[in-house]
Amino acid sequence: MLLGVDAGNPDLLLRWSEDGSLPTLRALRQRGMTCRLEGPPGCGDDGTWATVYTGVSPATHGRFYYRRLRPGSYSLPSFSDADLRHEPIWTTLGRAGKRVAVIDVPKSPLPP
């Protein structure tokens, strides 16, 4: 299970889980692994989330920001699911016969 807390203050979450104010988060932290995630330099949170759900760098999946420069123009269309150059990990796992639940992953394509 991967639990990502987007836009949460990591210092407060850590303090409140340690002092018992967030007991469920505390229990999850004690039974699993935690880390602070910093996005790749120059990327918006779109690039960070795409890196998390594909497991590859923005140079491979192609998503750096919610907009992208259309080659040969000055046009800045929004990034669409079809523009993603690498499939999400849940697609790979599902194709391999694994059961997968995807719940509210920000800025990610829906599985088939």
Side-chain angles (χ1 to χ4, degrees):
M1 178 173 84
L2 170 72
L3 173 64
V5 181
D6 191 352
N9 182 303
D11 295 323
L12 292 176
L13 291 172
L14 181 61
R15 180 170 31 148
W16 291 336
S17 68
E18 288 176 351
D19 74 11
S21 298
L22 297 173
T24 303
L25 184 59
R26 179 182 185 161
L28 288 170
R29 290 183 65 242
Q30 288 174 337
R31 291 192 314 247
M33 295 178 7
T34 63
C35 70
R36 286 188 185 198
L37 177 66
E38 291 187 25
C43 288
D45 61 335
D46 292 57
T48 301
W49 278 112
T51 297
V52 168
Y53 65 71
T54 62
V56 298
S57 75
T60 301
H61 61 64
R63 186 168 192 164
F64 295 87
Y65 193 62
Y66 78 99
R67 292 187 182 262
R68 58 182 176 76
L69 183 62
R70 179 172 288 139
S73 75
Y74 292 104
S75 175
L76 290 170
S78 293
F79 194 94
S80 72
D81 292 348
D83 298 322
L84 191 64
R85 296 190 312 239
H86 198 278
E87 68 183 12
I89 56 175
W90 50 80
T91 302
T92 307
L93 292 170
R95 194 173 45 256
K98 302 296 182 187
R99 292 178 58 185
V100 179
V102 179
I103 303 168
D104 197 23
V105 179
K107 302 166 185 199
S108 66
L110 293 174

